[in-house]
Amino acid sequence: MNAIRLARTVTKCYSMRSYSMAPCEILELLEAGYQRLAESDSQSLLKKHLTKSIFDKLKTKVTPSYCSTLLDCIQSGLCNHDSAVGIYAPDPEAYKTFADIFDPIISDIHKGFGKANKHPASCYGYGADFPNLDPEQKYVVSTRVRCARSIQDFPFNPCLSEEDYRNLECMISKVLLTFCHEHSGKYLPLKGMDKEVQKKLIDNHYLFKEGDRFLQAANASRFWPTGRGIFMNRDRTFMVWVNEEDHIRVISMERGGDLGRAYERMIIGLESLAFSLKFSCDKRLGNLTFCPSNLGNTIRASVHIRLPHIGKDKAKLEELAGKHNLQVRGTSGEHSEAKDGVYDISNKRRMGLTEYQTIGEMHKGISALIEAECRESSKK
Ligand code: ARG
């Protein structure tokens, strides 16, 4: 822990950095952190793929524009041995400078998306192609679709200055406030937000939580709450998070199982943003995000779903979901437990396939889970 606290002070001022290789104090922290990770029983992808030879090859490197080091990429995983992934890109160049560790992790998360693979161009298609998953509302409580974008020419959280945060917030909220019809709404900055209002928004799953230790250890919560906020439409079905994990998260939500409608609303919002803002993209990796788990088309579609029969055995549910490339989480999402038998189930794949294909895979998988639940319940 001390080492990480020290790392935070050492890594504070990116704008003042100008070195061509990692300085001694960073190397010492890296060596000590690596040693502890190697001795731990961590199941993270970082531990799995960061061999000694890759570590030695990368430990002195820095990214060309921001001088980000290997420590900036992996300090969250070094601090949190219970990480699933354990690595973030402090700036867009990190994916290239530290490709020897990012590539195997990307391939592991995104089912074999390797060096020779190239993420396809966007294809949104039409939400109307996907019929309601559960018209009688027996299983699907709610549906949510989100995607992430980074603004070109800005680094990611750990390298942003306080002024960058303010500028990003200003640029993004200005565009959002021009939205009309279903998408028109208000921008609520986190700074100065009433605590009760904030709590309500979090409890209703509209707003991001505070104090994520994985992000904090990655140096991604500096100057909090400056520059962070949420845009919401009147119906509370369309939201945009500003400067949480990514510069932009576009979110669309529905009661019930109308995945196609939620998807269509998100795409319209995203395209309206793209009209005025330029996003960071890589020829091979697709849209660039802070966490490698979100690269590619960046889409995470999820349902809150009641599966009382097939959900009795979590391991079996996970196995069945896995067959359809779906992931099972607890009710409040990542790192949470299921409450009242309600699971959060989402697509796993977002690299190497288009947005439309990702939604198609999700639609097919959730339909299959509902069918399995029906079969199981009619047996009893
Ligand atoms: N860094 C965390 C971990 O490794 C989160 C990884 C994926 N989730 C995310 N929100 N990016 O467990």
Side-chain angles (χ1 to χ4, degrees):
M1 271 317 228
N2 276 343
I4 294 302
R5 220 165 278 143
L6 185 58
R8 293 231 209 148
T9 30
V10 175
T11 55
K12 224 167 15 193
C13 304
Y14 284 82
S15 52
M16 286 160 61
R17 284 188 186 184
S18 67
Y19 32 69
S20 51
M21 64 179 271
C24 290
E25 61 267 36
I26 301 268
L27 288 175
E28 275 167 28
L29 291 168
L30 270 172
E31 294 285 358
Y34 183 74
Q35 188 65 30
R36 274 197 303 273
L37 182 70
E39 286 161 9
S40 76
D41 56 2
S42 172
Q43 300 293 309
S44 69
L45 296 180
L46 178 69
K47 162 136 195 220
K48 179 172 167 192
H49 294 287
L50 190 63
T51 61
K52 185 78 173 93
S53 67
I54 293 181
F55 175 76
D56 285 335
K57 183 173 169 197
L58 299 181
K59 65 187 179 190
T60 56
K61 293 200 171 181
V62 297
T63 61
S65 309
Y66 295 96
C67 298
S68 301
T69 65
L70 180 62
L71 186 63
D72 297 313
C73 303
I74 68 172
Q75 56 190 342
S76 184
L78 294 183
C79 186
N80 297 294
H81 288 174
D82 59 344
S83 294
V85 182
I87 189 167
Y88 294 94
D91 67 64
E93 295 165 351
Y95 284 112
K96 287 214 170 74
T97 304
F98 301 103
D100 290 298
I101 181 60
F102 275 109
D103 282 345
I105 290 181
I106 287 169
S107 164
D108 201 324
I109 305 174
H110 301 281
K111 296 240 162 160
F113 184 94
K115 277 199 165 95
N117 295 103
K118 197 171 170 257
H119 183 73
S122 279
C123 172
Y124 298 137
Y126 294 100
D129 293 351
F130 304 106
N132 193 323
L133 286 161
D134 179 26
E136 288 166 36
Q137 297 213 22
K138 275 168 78 181
Y139 309 99
V140 184
V141 183
S142 61
T143 304
R144 182 180 187 271
V145 188
R146 67 91 162 135
C147 67
R149 287 294 181 274
S150 309
I151 304 283
Q152 218 176 54
D153 300 326
F154 281 86
F156 303 150
N157 270 312
C159 303
L160 292 173
S161 67
E162 196 165 3
E163 202 190 345
D164 288 334
Y165 275 113
R166 279 196 291 264
N167 288 338
L168 278 168
E169 180 183 42
C170 182
M171 280 167 71
I172 299 164
S173 59
K174 225 164 133 184
V175 180
L176 289 169
L177 290 171
T178 65
F179 282 11
C180 47
H181 307 300
E182 193 188 12
H183 290 76
S184 80
K186 277 196 285 208
Y187 178 70
L188 311 173
L190 201 58
K191 199 171 181 164
M193 186 184 284
D194 180 89
K195 282 284 154 206
E196 270 305 302
V197 172
Q198 183 182 357
K199 187 179 175 305
K200 257 209 189 118
L201 291 176
I202 295 174
D203 292 347
N204 287 324
H205 305 285
Y206 296 135
L207 181 62
F208 45 83
K209 290 184 255 179
E210 263 185 329
D212 179 311
R213 68 188 155 89
F214 300 90
L215 290 179
Q216 281 176 344
N219 250 338
S221 308
R222 286 151 55 256
F223 314 116
W224 192 278
T226 297
R228 279 74 171 193
I230 180 174
F231 174 86
M232 283 174 94
N233 72 346
R234 275 184 305 260
D235 302 340
R236 303 196 161 191
T237 52
F238 176 75
M239 267 129 269
V240 177
W241 291 355
V242 177
N243 286 326
E244 189 241 12
E245 178 171 326
D246 291 294
H247 299 158
I248 296 179
R249 287 278 176 101
V250 183
I251 300 157
S252 170
M253 282 164 61
E254 285 280 312
R255 294 252 121 236
D258 201 341
L259 174 65
R261 183 147 186 247
Y263 172 63
E264 188 71 32
R265 187 189 300 116
M266 185 200 73
I267 293 303
I268 293 172
L270 178 64
E271 289 196 299
S272 311
L273 281 170
F275 206 68
S276 310
L277 300 168
K278 279 213 161 71
F279 300 136
S280 284
C281 237
D282 179 82
K283 279 201 191 95
R284 187 171 77 84
L285 303 175
N287 295 287
L288 291 179
T289 51
F290 183 40
C291 182
S293 65
N294 288 322
L295 292 164
N297 68 41
T298 77
I299 287 189
R300 180 170 186 271
S302 58
V303 290
H304 270 172
I305 186 167
R306 262 186 234 107
L307 299 167
H309 294 89
I310 60 167
K312 265 190 203 133
D313 184 342
K314 173 104 189 279
K316 254 186 151 167
L317 172 62
E318 276 179 356
E319 193 194 318
L320 183 59
K323 278 193 191 138
H324 295 279
N325 292 322
L326 300 178
Q327 184 187 45
V328 183
R329 291 179 174 179
T331 318
S332 302
E334 203 165 27
H335 314 112
S336 79
E337 290 300 316
K339 265 187 250 143
D340 307 323
V342 177
Y343 289 97
D344 173 310
I345 303 189
S346 58
N347 61 293
K348 262 194 199 157
R349 298 202 314 144
R350 50 186 74 95
M351 272 192 109
L353 71 176
T354 66
E355 294 77 2
Y356 187 72
Q357 287 169 326
T358 283
I359 297 296
E361 193 161 272
M362 172 75 180
H363 193 268
K364 215 167 140 197
I366 298 295
S367 304
L369 292 188
I370 292 176
E371 256 170 50
E373 175 65 26
C374 284
R375 265 201 311 276
E376 204 56 31
S377 65
S378 62
K379 271 191 207 162
K380 310 272 144 103

